[in-house]
Amino acid sequence: MEHVRCLIIGSGPAGYTAAIYASRANLAPVEYSGLQPGGQLTQTTTVENFPGYPNGVDGTQMMADLRQQAENYGADIRDGQIVNVDFSKAPYLCTAEDGNVLECDTVIIATGASAKYLGLDDEKKYNGMGVSACATCDGFFYRKKTVAVVGGGDTACEDALYLSALAKKVYLIVRKPFLRASKVMQDRVKAAENIEILFEHNTVGLFGEGGVEGAHLVKRKGEPDEQMVDIAIDGFFLAIGHKPNTDIFRQWLETDEVGYLKKTDGTPKTKIPGVFVAGDCADPVYRQAITAAGTGCQAAIEAERYISEHSL
């Protein structure tokens, strides 16, 4: 059994930042990068809203930079996943997919969240070429253009409103004949002159040469008056929710109804001493690289304090 003072589960801005701070605090952190090393930003193109990159930076390159920085300070970053945890007593036992068992004084969970997609082949085909799951991240690239947002809840309405301030026109593609969003959000969307709501429409495909140029929709799918509709768009935004990657922790830690891990007293602490959370796995609201990095910093500082207080 391998003893670890600080185990970081997951990478991305939160995990890598936690590794940088934990390394500089001489915690000799071990980090398992998870199913998607670098997190969601490796699926985007240019990141323009992270401080320190005045000309923007490729998302994959940015994550490579953060990983290198953590390794330069001594972090032991390993490819692979942690597949099981036992938080019943300290030190905590965490098992990697290769069977390696780690005995951990502290654990920082930074497993992130995965955007939900419709499951269309075209979503993968045009990923980074017009398909996005983050309006705040990528909306800037669609100034004065036409975009579509898929979804009918608060997130979809918020994204549509955000994009309406940038884009020439925004289609809101809603599967049902009504919006699920709160009344105030519905009113704001309906009042926006450049947002057109397409009720009872399902997206069945995308098309374009070298990038998204339009979407194939079905109006009133399965009904006698079913109709095929094509719309011309430059960008296609998914806003049908995120799934936090927290399944293996739910036995031990508190979550909300969706699965986001709950913090204690506004800190990265959980109800289990020595176990901390950072990034999108505990953030259903902001889900930005800079906020994730900030909580990674906080979690590592709390881990160092815990280890010091317990003389570990």
Side-chain angles (χ1 to χ4, degrees), residues 111 243-252 258-259 261:
T111 47
K243 181 185 183 303
N245 304 318
T246 58
D247 289 350
I248 66 171
F249 309 111
R250 295 193 187 194
Q251 176 185 352
W252 309 101
V258 178
L261 297 172

Side-chain angles (χ1 to χ4, degrees), residues 74-235:
D76 180 357
I77 302 178
R78 306 174 183 179
D79 293 329
Q81 300 182 73
I82 296 296
V83 295
N84 188 57
V85 298
D86 182 350
F87 293 157
S88 58
K89 63 178 181 178
Y92 307 114
L93 302 181
C94 299
T95 306
E97 59 185 342
D98 61 2
N100 188 33
V101 179
L102 300 98
E103 184 184 61
C104 310
D105 293 329
T106 60
V107 178
I108 296 174
I109 300 168
T111 47
S114 300
K116 294 180 181 179
Y117 286 81
L118 298 174
L120 305 174
D121 290 339
D122 288 338
E123 289 172 314
K124 297 177 181 178
K125 177 181 177 181
Y126 294 106
N127 187 34
M129 297 187 295
V131 171
S132 172
C134 183
T136 310
C137 307
D138 299 326
F140 186 76
F141 301 114
Y142 296 92
R143 288 169 297 172
K144 307 301 181 183
K145 296 185 178 181
T146 300
V147 299
V149 177
V150 178
D154 279 331
T155 298
C157 289
E158 288 174 4
D159 285 359
L161 286 166
Y162 176 82
L163 291 167
S164 71
L166 299 167
K168 176 177 63 177
K169 182 178 179 65
V170 179
Y171 290 105
L172 184 58
I173 303 172
V174 185
R175 182 168 51 91
K176 296 182 180 295
F178 56 86
L179 292 171
R180 293 181 292 103
S182 59
K183 181 66 165 56
V184 64
M185 291 304 299
Q186 291 187 42
D187 291 343
R188 289 174 183 171
V189 166
K190 292 174 181 178
E193 294 183 357
N194 62 336
I195 297 178
E196 180 179 348
I197 305 174
L198 302 178
F199 287 114
E200 295 185 274
H201 282 70
N202 284 266
T203 306
V204 294
L206 302 170
F207 61 88
E209 294 293 331
V212 170
E213 295 177 0
H216 299 301
L217 311 178
V218 177
K219 182 179 180 180
R220 291 181 54 79
K221 186 176 181 180
E223 299 297 325
D225 57 349
E226 177 181 297
Q227 180 183 355
M228 292 295 300
V229 178
D230 284 354
I231 58 173
I233 56 174
D234 303 291

